[in-house]
Amino acid sequence: MSNELYAVVGHPINHSKSPRIHSLFAKQTGEPVEYTAIQAPLDGFANTVRQFFESGGKGLNVTVPFKEQAWELADQRTARAEKAGAANTLYQNSEGRLVADNTDGQGLVQDLTVNHGIQLKGANILVLGAGGAVRGVLGPLLAQKPASMTIANRTVAKAEALATLFAEDAGATILSACGFEAPDQPFDVIINGTSASLQGDLPPVRTNVITAGTVVYDMMYSLQTTTFNQWALDNGAVRVFDGLGMLIEQAAESFRVWRGVQPDTASVIDVLRND
Ligand code: ATR
């Protein structure tokens, strides 16, 4: 069987790990998948997508800065993409309509619960940030039924808007919004979804949100300990994780959506950690 074509679209795209991850999935599963990276012009995302599918492409991942455009462009959206307000996965259904999905939240939950064995049900969770990355993961996190979820952000109004948007998904979870400095007691799980470290900053949260039992998860990943995780370790955290597992799990979920086959992720996480 000849290979079927998939790609990740972004700008810039040269550092994307998605081609490496999906090639490893293809090799491992024997699926006839060829996966490349496409840099779309900043004003040419819709054209790039159209051309890709017109020339026979089967599925796209979408990354910065096009996730919101992918969501808008689609003819229909999965429920989880609808709520996320952004899409990282595109494909055509049997009628040729463009479907948008979002696998980021599932990727985060899978990494936390399966790879790291963390119980989110009944946990008190502090989420830092209220941008697109956080919006993309709140639904799947709330579906785990934490006891409480506190969304803290520099711009409090954005945290409040997310708490309102996700109120209907909260069920029995106590969902609240505040500034970074308000939380004043220990949390079971702290998730950093801000991009503060890109500016060399840290979200100014109090150190008493951390105890030795707190799990700290930075959605960023890096070869070294991330800035946020280092801060957490310096303030008493013992279990800190970066976002490499989430990156690979969201890719695996896209692969499953496209191919109907679930790749093994543990071996791929090992390979990328040692690249
Ligand atoms: P992303 O797609 O990565 O979520 P975004 O939508 O621009 O990008 O959101 C970035 C998040 O990081 C926001 O929560 C932002 O806070 P504001 O909503 O107040 O802008 C947060 N952020 C960015 N730079 C920050 C900094 N230097 N200190 C603290 N928070 C920061």
Side-chain angles (χ1 to χ4, degrees):
M1 200 197 298
S2 65
N3 279 342
E4 299 193 329
L5 190 60
Y6 296 81
V8 58
V9 185
H11 188 122
I13 202 64
N14 48 341
H15 291 302
S16 172
K17 300 215 179 284
S18 294
R20 174 105 169 103
I21 295 168
H22 282 277
S23 301
L24 288 166
F25 289 162
K27 197 168 162 196
Q28 174 207 112
T29 59
E31 287 291 299
V33 164
E34 185 180 333
Y35 192 107
T36 62
I38 300 172
Q39 177 159 302
L42 286 173
D43 61 354
F45 175 71
N47 266 339
T48 302
V49 171
R50 206 168 294 121
Q51 279 169 15
F52 177 82
F53 285 107
E54 275 172 14
S55 60
K58 294 291 176 195
L60 287 173
N61 281 133
V62 180
T63 188
V64 180
F66 299 127
K67 287 185 179 185
E68 281 84 7
Q69 280 186 57
W71 186 91
E72 281 160 18
L73 189 66
D75 300 311
Q76 62 191 65
R77 304 172 189 121
T78 63
R80 61 189 177 181
E82 185 67 39
K83 204 75 198 212
N88 73 338
T89 305
L90 294 171
Y91 56 94
Q92 285 181 320
N93 68 10
S94 51
E95 289 122 45
R97 289 167 65 77
L98 187 65
V99 182
D101 197 357
N102 190 316
T103 65
D104 285 331
Q106 166 72 14
L108 172 62
V109 166
Q110 189 78 7
D111 195 37
L112 279 166
T113 60
V114 178
N115 299 340
H116 300 307
I118 293 150
Q119 164 119 350
L120 296 176
K121 184 163 189 227
N124 295 304
I125 303 179
L126 174 61
V127 176
L128 305 176
V134 165
R135 182 172 169 181
V137 301
L138 286 182
L141 283 173
L142 286 168
Q144 296 293 304
K145 303 189 190 306
S148 72
M149 182 182 284
T150 305
I151 307 170
N153 195 41
R154 179 173 63 182
T155 310
V156 179
K158 282 169 68 180
E160 285 169 345
L162 284 187
T164 303
L165 182 65
F166 283 89
E168 65 189 8
D169 301 72
T173 301
I174 299 164
L175 182 59
S176 61
C178 57
F180 286 132
E181 276 141 47
D184 196 17
Q185 76 285 334
F187 286 82
D188 301 313
V189 179
I190 301 176
I191 297 168
N192 177 34
T194 71
S195 52
S197 66
L198 298 180
Q199 289 119 56
D201 286 342
L202 283 166
V205 286
R206 294 173 195 254
T207 53
N208 67 350
V209 297
I210 296 175
T211 66
T214 304
V215 169
V216 174
Y217 194 99
D218 193 345
M219 284 165 61
M220 298 259 166
Y221 74 92
S222 93
L223 289 178
Q224 290 83 35
T225 306
T226 68
T227 314
F228 184 77
N229 284 352
Q230 190 57 55
W231 171 84
L233 288 169
D234 292 343
N235 287 287
V238 176
R239 301 179 72 196
V240 303
F241 304 107
D242 72 7
L244 181 66
M246 173 180 173
L247 176 74
I248 291 166
E249 293 296 345
Q250 62 79 29
E253 178 66 2
S254 295
F255 194 93
R256 190 191 64 74
V257 165
W258 292 327
R259 307 297 309 176
V261 174
Q262 182 75 57
D264 171 69
T265 51
S267 56
V268 176
I269 291 172
D270 267 1
V271 171
L272 266 87
R273 192 62 84 188
N274 295 308
D275 261 358

